[in-house]
Amino acid sequence: KGKNSWWRVVNQEDLHKITLLYKQLRNLLYEELTLMRRKKNVEKIKSHLANIMDFQYIPEHVTLHPYYNLTCLFNSKDKRDLIMNKLNEERIETRISFPPCHLQPYHKNLPYLKLDDLKNTITSYETMLDIPAHQNLTDKEIEKMTNIIIKNV
């Protein structure tokens, strides 16, 4: 047998295992690169807007969480709504975070919950807005989005 004939000894089962390992490694690398791009985009957005607003706290142990949106905290519902409308006019998707449980239809009429009891929860809900922070955002898109926010805050 020659030096380069090692591949002749690899049987079908080994070849199948090698193929599966390759696919797993490729998927892990893709996921890692995707998370890195998302984190980089979040850092860019935060650096552009750091002087004018706060963001949802993300604990250290989830810094590479595969979030698609970044939650911005505005100082009023009116300001949040203005920014949301301006971004939507430019076809930049925004989302309002999920309503608190006590505002959901099922819980709304429960006798032990009063809307006045949870003022901070309602205020947070009314002033938070999710903006895009996914891995496919370009620098130009980040700049456009953050400029709209800066101009209108």
Side-chain angles (χ1 to χ4, degrees), residues 37-45 134 137 142:
R37 283 194 307 265
R38 286 179 183 167
K39 184 176 182 183
K40 181 180 166 192
N41 283 346
V42 167
E43 289 169 357
K44 285 180 189 175
I45 292 168
H134 56 81
L137 284 176
I142 290 172

Side-chain angles (χ1 to χ4, degrees), residues 84-126:
M84 180 175 60
N85 291 333
K86 294 290 185 183
L87 291 171
N88 288 337
E89 285 172 11
E90 294 295 322
R91 305 187 56 80
I92 298 172
E93 180 184 4
T94 61
R95 296 180 184 175
I96 295 176
S97 297
F98 291 104
C101 289
H102 71 287
L103 297 180
Q104 300 284 343
Y106 175 78
H107 298 282
K108 202 172 190 173
N109 297 318
L110 294 176
Y112 58 86
L113 271 180
K114 295 178 185 154
L115 293 183
D116 294 341
D117 291 344
L118 302 168
K119 289 181 183 174
N120 290 338
T121 302
I122 294 170
T123 299
S124 294
Y125 167 66
E126 290 178 343

Side-chain angles (χ1 to χ4, degrees), residues 16-72:
H16 181 69
K17 288 177 184 176
I18 291 169
T19 304
L20 285 177
L21 180 60
Y22 167 76
K23 287 180 180 178
Q24 288 174 339
L25 289 172
R26 185 186 64 201
N27 288 342
L28 283 173
L29 180 61
Y30 174 77
E31 288 173 16
E32 188 65 29
L33 290 173
T34 298
L35 291 173
M36 287 170 47
R37 283 194 307 265
R38 286 179 183 167
K39 184 176 182 183
K40 181 180 166 192
N41 283 346
V42 167
E43 289 169 357
K44 285 180 189 175
I45 292 168
K46 283 184 172 184
S47 71
H48 285 246
L49 301 174
N51 295 329
I52 61 168
M53 71 174 47
D54 291 321
F55 300 93
Q56 176 186 27
Y57 171 71
I58 301 172
E60 187 64 33
H61 67 280
V62 289
T63 54
L64 289 179
H65 183 273
Y67 40 77
Y68 186 85
N69 294 311
L70 178 63
T71 302
C72 301

Side-chain angles (χ1 to χ4, degrees), residues 53 74 78-88 94 129 131 148-153:
M53 71 174 47
F74 293 91
D78 291 339
K79 190 60 70 176
R80 189 263 328 250
D81 291 346
L82 172 69
I83 299 295
M84 180 175 60
N85 291 333
K86 294 290 185 183
L87 291 171
N88 288 337
T94 61
L129 181 66
I131 60 172
I148 291 169
I149 294 171
I150 291 167
K151 181 180 174 186
N152 292 283
V153 168

